[in-house]
Amino acid sequence: PAYDGKREEPLVIVCTLKGATPFFADLARVLDCDQQWEFMSFSSYGNSAKSSGAVQLMLDLKTDIAGRDLLVVEDILDTGNTLKYMLKQLGAREPKSVKTAVLLHKHEMTVEGIAADFVGYKIPNHFVVGYGLDYAQKYRGLPFIGVVAPWVYTGGSENAPRDESHDIQPS
């Protein structure tokens, strides 16, 4: 389906709360089409820097999406467990189409068979915060994306050796 403004019904843009909110807002402003905004929330991290692997739906859509075109906006694709779970939930509701846009993709971590249709940046497997991304509900409001030093979430020392391979590459 075209996302170019020539549509019978508004495009349903699904923002995954909370991390994708700044990316969602910026993306929605530049899409040249009628839009209906919806929100979903999932949890797999809790207050940890590592996913538990168990995905829980915390907030569901408020509208019927049967026969509608959807654009799912995610902050980060790492293992793909959350996106896989979300797409299964959405697919059961029989939308016309589903496309996915992720700001960041930790390509080294993603399980086979999971991919986003649109990717902002491919990044190495580092824990990142800012621009909506958090660690234990902190750092979401940073106006940039930064790598969290491992000692912050492992309980190690600030004087531990540094890993300088934090380059983020556009897709």
Side-chain angles (χ1 to χ4, degrees):
Y3 295 111
D4 61 3
K6 298 171 181 75
R7 345 184 33 77
E8 292 178 23
E9 291 189 83
L11 173 66
V12 179
I13 307 176
V14 181
C15 175
T16 54
L17 298 174
K18 299 174 184 168
T21 306
F23 177 49
F24 163 82
D26 289 344
L27 182 61
R29 279 192 284 269
V30 298
L31 290 176
D32 185 22
C33 64
D34 287 334
Q35 304 168 14
Q36 179 178 341
W37 294 359
E38 286 292 329
F39 301 88
M40 294 182 87
S41 179
F42 299 88
S43 178
S44 66
Y45 278 83
N47 285 331
S48 174
K50 186 171 187 213
S51 172
S52 68
V55 180
Q56 293 180 310
L57 176 63
M58 308 301 284
L59 176 70
D60 205 351
L61 301 177
K62 304 294 184 205
T63 195
D64 182 9
I65 59 168
R68 304 285 302 274
D69 291 321
L70 306 181
L71 176 62
V72 173
V73 180
E74 264 278 33
D75 52 358
I76 191 164
L77 172 57
D78 45 34
T79 63
N81 289 334
T82 300
L83 187 59
K84 181 178 179 180
Y85 180 83
M86 182 180 194
L87 293 176
K88 182 179 177 184
Q89 294 289 319
L90 294 172
R93 300 167 197 198
E94 301 179 349
K96 181 178 177 182
S97 69
V98 179
K99 295 288 186 184
T100 54
V102 298
L103 176 63
L104 304 173
H105 182 196
K106 289 184 183 180
H107 54 94
E108 300 162 352
M109 303 231 351
T110 308
V111 295
E112 193 172 324
I114 301 295
D117 297 294
F118 309 102
V119 175
Y121 298 92
K122 289 183 180 177
I123 65 170
N125 184 22
H126 297 294
F127 196 78
V128 293
V129 295
Y131 193 64
L133 298 139
D134 75 298
Y135 168 62
Q137 300 299 322
K138 297 177 186 167
Y139 313 115
R140 281 191 199 281
L142 293 174
F144 56 85
I145 297 170
V147 175
V148 177
W151 64 266
V152 171
Y153 54 86
T154 61
S157 167
E158 183 175 355
N159 299 320
R162 299 178 67 112
D163 178 1
E164 301 295 334
S165 63
H166 299 130
D167 296 338
I168 296 178
Q169 301 296 322
S171 259

